[in-house]
Amino acid sequence: MDVLEQWTSQIQPQLHQWREWVDQIPLIQLYTAIGVLLFTTLLFLSIRLVKRAKANTIVLTGLSGSGKTVLFYQLRDGSSHLGTVTSMDPNDGSFILHSETTKNGKFKPVHVVDVPGHSRLRSKLDEFLPKAAGIVFVVDAVDFLPNCRAASEYLYDILTKASVVKKKIPILILCNKTDKVTAHTKEFVRKQLEKEIEKLKASRTAISTADIADEFTLGVEGEPFTFSQCQNKVAVGEASGLTGEISQLEQFIRDHVKP
């Protein structure tokens, strides 16, 4: 109690001086200062809201060979470009979806980025996340099982990124090459990814202090992992880049980048 009284007695003269100083300020100046402060705060919040509203980037990502580049060209040109080869640099473009070019009405261009799937180039993904309206994680539905572990690890890293979780960026897991007879169904792919991510959760329980700031914990403790537990919406769809059947991909894009 003595310490509190001593602290109070020390602070009172300063409070008295501060009050006298405020009383000496003309009301017009005081109101002006308050107005400037409020205006600056509102301006800052408005800029943040505008930046968020302008998020119109759709990021295509996934393992190498999953067909991301073919999907990029189907969206832009309506052509597979004969299948193309594995990309080592991002394909980046703003355009009206090719399927919309023959429709009446005004459509908003979409910024689509095809991020290379090579492990050494995945860091480029972080460059596009700040303005991402959605992420499309492309999976090869034909060669899925041999690559299931690698795909799950990459998807786990995306789902736990602070920039993805905080902005609740929606994700579409797109099972590509479904025109092939040997392609796995989207239900099978979803269940296998959930099982592998559950295993990854168990193996990554020891997180260093440095990593905690940039990583979020997935799922609900004590329950098997499912994508429905994620803070951002995760959907699963199907597509065939070679045949041009990409309606579910286009629907995802227009759900999050309005015409």
Side-chain angles (χ1 to χ4, degrees), residues 55-56 107-110 253-259:
N56 72 330
F107 296 93
K108 182 179 179 180
V110 181
I253 291 173
R254 279 311 177 199
D255 283 344
H256 302 290
V257 181
K258 300 301 180 183

Side-chain angles (χ1 to χ4, degrees), residues 125-144:
L125 176 66
D126 294 327
E127 299 176 15
F128 303 102
L129 290 180
K131 289 191 176 181
I135 299 171
V136 180
F137 187 84
V138 184
V139 175
D140 184 337
V142 176
D143 294 327
F144 170 67

Side-chain angles (χ1 to χ4, degrees), residues 238-255:
E238 296 177 328
S240 171
L242 286 178
T243 65
E245 176 44 59
I246 57 171
S247 58
Q248 293 182 31
L249 170 59
E250 291 177 321
Q251 185 61 51
F252 174 81
I253 291 173
R254 279 311 177 199
D255 283 344

Side-chain angles (χ1 to χ4, degrees), residues 59-224:
V59 180
L60 301 176
T61 190
L63 300 182
S64 295
S66 58
K68 300 181 300 297
T69 303
V70 174
L71 293 169
F72 176 88
Y73 286 122
Q74 284 287 8
L75 289 169
R76 192 187 72 176
D77 307 325
S79 168
S80 66
H81 283 232
L82 300 179
T84 69
V85 295
T86 300
S87 302
M88 296 305 289
D89 292 304
N91 288 299
D92 186 342
S94 294
F95 48 82
I96 295 173
L97 301 181
H98 182 267
S99 63
E100 296 173 343
T101 56
T102 57
K103 297 179 181 178
N104 294 325
K106 189 175 181 180
F107 296 93
K108 182 179 179 180
V110 181
H111 181 214
V112 182
V113 180
D114 161 26
V115 179
H118 194 284
S119 57
R120 288 182 295 180
L121 301 174
R122 290 177 193 168
S123 59
K124 293 181 178 292
L125 176 66
D126 294 327
E127 299 176 15
F128 303 102
L129 290 180
K131 289 191 176 181
I135 299 171
V136 180
F137 187 84
V138 184
V139 175
D140 184 337
V142 176
D143 294 327
F144 170 67
L145 285 178
N147 298 305
C148 181
R149 180 72 178 185
S152 300
E153 289 176 344
Y154 188 16
L155 183 56
Y156 181 99
D157 291 339
I158 292 173
L159 290 171
T160 55
K161 281 183 178 292
S163 55
V164 173
V165 178
K166 289 181 178 179
K167 289 180 62 180
K168 295 186 178 181
I169 301 175
I171 296 177
L172 173 66
I173 301 171
L174 190 67
C175 304
N176 192 25
K177 307 182 184 180
T178 54
D179 57 299
K180 306 297 183 183
V181 177
T182 54
H184 295 286
T185 65
K186 66 179 183 180
E187 290 78 13
F188 178 83
V189 171
R190 175 183 60 78
K191 290 178 181 178
Q192 293 302 313
L193 288 173
E194 287 175 341
K195 288 179 181 178
E196 283 297 326
I197 290 177
E198 175 64 25
K199 294 176 184 177
L200 286 169
K201 280 180 56 186
S203 63
R204 297 191 183 187
T205 51
I207 303 174
S208 67
T209 304
D211 292 333
I212 289 175
D214 298 318
E215 187 170 301
F216 281 73
T217 303
L218 281 180
V220 178
E221 188 176 353
E223 296 182 13

Side-chain angles (χ1 to χ4, degrees), residues 228-245:
S228 62
Q229 297 167 350
C230 295
Q231 296 186 42
N232 49 327
K233 185 177 180 180
V234 180
V236 184
E238 296 177 328
S240 171
L242 286 178
T243 65
E245 176 44 59

